[in-house]
Amino acid sequence: MNANHHEISASTRGQQITLRSAAELADALPFVLGFHPTDSIVLVALHGANGRFGGRVRIGIPRSPGEWDSTADHLAECLVETSAQRTSPPDGIVGFLCQDPSSDETAGEVYERLRPLAQRLRTACGALDIPVYEVLCISGGRHFSYCCPDERCCPPDGTPLALTGTSVMAAAAAYAGIQVRGSLREMEARFKPTGAPGEARQRSALDAAAARIVPLVVDGAEEQGKARLRETTLALAGRLLGRFAEPPRQVGPDGVRRGQAAIDADDDARVEPAEAAAVILGLQDRIARDRLAEWMEGAEGLAAVRLWRVLARRCVAPYQEYAAAPLTLAGWAAWSTGDEPTARVALNLALDADPEYVFARLLHQACNEGLAPESLRSCLRGERENRVAAEKTAAAHARRTRTRTRTRGARPGGPRPALPKAGAGGVRRGRGAPGSRPAGRASTRPGGPAPRHGGRRGTRSGR
């Protein structure tokens, strides 16, 4: 590390660790991000006289060197603005270029190939009056310094990275409960289609669901049809979530700890292709998606991350763009349950699938700015409480309406009394037998003639 700079400190949930060399700085990077970055540019803000770690930004290394200038400018501006919004502008910056060598080059050649990008990052930060104290290249299990001229600590052919779990930073992170979730490439692969033979069935299911559902979610579709689709999607998603209530099996029947691929395969088996297709297409309805974002806390939130990860893997070609919704929901649920590294990966992939997906852009910005997810959680809780209250009010109103309808349909004074049957001295109410006139007060008026039998209605004798 540049000998002209003071020591750098990194915090691990209350513990402060001092990094005194480029080797310790390189070893700390996975614990700062929560994963090993691959094919990435990472900038970390430093604050105060001791260079305390602050905000950080990461982006993939552009394949075309022609994009390096604009990428460097954008990253520097983003880090400085984000740091200023959170606390204060950074007092310094350290950078990392992480890329493994291809089959036909060495780590040293990667280091030299990326040297212009490292220089461009330094000038972009310098233009904002922020010094860059170190830029490291991490490639092929070695690290190289672009800033330190002392070959005793930073030799030109690089320095091997510390063995996993052997550094002071690793020990402090383990004590603090911080986990490194593997490489960025491995984390991204868990959200992408696996290329398994079952993809053909999933593609056919998506084709069938698209023919049925897409006409209901496009602009101008009938609201009644949208509402029916929304309720169907929510009900199906709820049933699927119930299948993830049990935590994943970490240990197999043989007592051996299972790999991540086996755990993901178990999760995949819980969802049928037709079910996955129906929910993926149904998530294109914004209201349904927002309702499902309420799965965000505790065991429900953890189960939701697994469900959304499965659905993102089911977005096979040519339905990759539809993955933006489940990826965004996975990112939100992960962020809300405290898994920020997974949240960042999922949200980045959502923006890769659809760069204009507004929900993903807002969450990505909030996560990068270090905002707490509680403000959004409170908003979603309030919406859910208002909706439940409105549903209860509507149900009570419907019950009162049914009760009033039944009351209006009843006879005044109580139920109709039982009537005696005709014959055996009984009197038959209503229309009499043919050829007779009903008896009663009207037929025997005082002073009137006695009733005459045998007449018919409509004749002179029986009118």
Side-chain angles (χ1 to χ4, degrees):
M1 187 157 53
N2 192 334
N4 297 324
H5 177 49
H6 3 263
E7 298 169 338
I8 295 175
S9 63
S11 62
T12 55
R13 296 183 185 177
Q15 288 187 310
Q16 185 164 314
I17 308 299
T18 301
L19 309 177
R20 296 182 174 85
S21 67
E24 293 180 349
L25 188 61
D27 182 68
L29 181 60
F31 300 99
V32 173
L33 297 178
F35 54 85
H36 293 276
T38 50
D39 293 321
S40 298
I41 307 171
V42 181
L43 295 183
V44 180
L46 305 177
H47 296 273
N50 293 326
R52 175 179 49 84
F53 273 12
R56 63 272 190 194
V57 293
R58 189 209 66 83
I59 196 172
I61 297 176
R63 294 183 179 181
S64 172
E67 300 177 19
W68 290 356
D69 286 353
S70 59
T71 300
D73 291 337
H74 172 72
L75 277 181
E77 292 172 1
C78 181
L79 180 61
V80 172
E81 291 176 3
T82 299
S83 299
Q85 291 172 0
R86 293 179 62 183
T87 53
S88 62
D91 298 304
I93 291 175
V94 293
F96 303 84
L97 300 179
C98 307
Q99 189 173 75
D100 286 332
S102 61
S103 58
D104 58 348
E105 65 179 347
T106 65
E109 289 171 338
V110 173
Y111 165 63
E112 291 298 335
R113 176 168 54 80
L114 296 179
R115 184 182 290 277
L117 176 56
Q119 183 59 30
R120 190 63 188 83
L121 288 170
R122 297 177 69 184
T123 58
C125 296
L128 300 174
D129 295 327
I130 308 295
V132 175
Y133 294 121
E134 182 63 276
V135 180
L136 296 179
C137 175
I138 300 176
S139 178
R142 307 180 74 85
H143 68 82
F144 306 78
S145 173
Y146 289 110
C147 300
C148 180
D150 191 345
E151 296 186 1
R152 292 172 298 178
C153 63
C154 300
D157 56 350
T159 304
L161 295 174
L163 295 176
T164 302
T166 61
S167 66
V168 174
M169 184 70 181
Y175 179 78
I178 297 175
Q179 296 180 351
V180 177
R181 295 163 177 79
S183 70
L184 174 61
R185 188 178 295 110
E186 292 168 344
M187 294 181 70
E188 290 179 339
R190 298 187 66 198
F191 288 102
K192 295 179 178 180
T194 60
E199 285 192 4
R201 289 182 57 208
Q202 187 60 66
R203 186 175 296 106
S204 297
L206 286 166
D207 289 340
R212 184 179 72 254
I213 294 175
V214 169
L216 300 177
V217 298
V218 296
D219 293 338
E222 181 187 14
E223 287 300 324
Q224 189 175 4
K226 286 185 177 181
R228 286 196 301 268
L229 171 65
R230 187 175 305 137
E231 294 307 316
T232 301
T233 302
L234 294 173
L236 176 56
R239 292 195 296 272
L240 295 181
L241 183 71
R243 300 175 192 174
F244 292 85
E246 294 293 330
R249 291 182 299 152
Q250 302 288 348
V251 179
D254 54 358
V256 177
R257 186 172 182 84
R258 308 174 73 220
Q260 195 63 64
I263 294 173
D264 287 345
D266 275 356
D267 285 350
D268 280 326
R270 301 170 193 263
V271 183
E272 292 296 322
E275 295 172 326
V279 177
I280 289 169
L281 272 296
L283 285 176
Q284 307 314 306
D285 177 77
R286 183 184 59 81
I287 297 177
R289 180 206 65 194
D290 291 350
R291 287 272 298 273
L292 294 173
E294 295 172 1
W295 298 344
M296 57 186 178
E297 296 179 275
E300 185 179 63
L302 296 175
V305 174
R306 294 165 60 198
L307 172 60
W308 303 138
R309 184 184 280 121
V310 169
L311 295 186
R313 286 198 294 266
R314 300 295 184 89
C315 293
V316 300
Y319 293 92
Q320 299 97 322
E321 184 178 344
Y322 288 84
L327 284 168
T328 302
L329 289 173
W332 160 240
W335 184 34
S336 180
T337 54
D339 189 354
E340 188 174 318
T342 298
R344 290 176 180 272
V345 171
L347 294 173
N348 277 329
L349 290 175
L351 292 175
D352 287 343
D354 184 357
E356 301 303 320
Y357 201 70
V358 176
F359 192 25
R361 292 174 63 183
L362 294 175
L363 289 174
H364 189 258
Q365 180 179 358
C367 194
N368 282 337
E369 291 178 358
L371 302 179
E374 179 56 31
S375 57
L376 181 53
R377 281 199 297 255
S378 298
C379 179
L380 290 173
R381 286 193 209 103
E383 290 183 1
R384 179 168 53 192
E385 291 169 359
N386 292 338
R387 185 182 66 256
V388 170
E391 290 172 353
K392 289 182 178 178
T393 301
H397 177 72
R399 287 195 298 270
R400 289 195 298 269
T401 301
R402 289 193 297 270
T403 301
R404 286 197 298 267
T405 301
R406 288 195 298 267
T407 302
R408 283 197 295 267
R411 287 178 58 84
R416 181 192 297 268
L419 301 177
K421 295 183 179 180
V427 180
R428 187 170 180 171
R429 297 278 308 266
R431 186 163 182 165
S436 67
R437 187 173 180 179
R441 295 178 58 188
S443 62
T444 57
R445 292 191 299 271
R452 298 177 61 184
H453 299 284
R456 292 182 298 168
R457 290 185 63 86
T459 66
R460 288 174 61 85
S461 62
R463 186 172 57 181

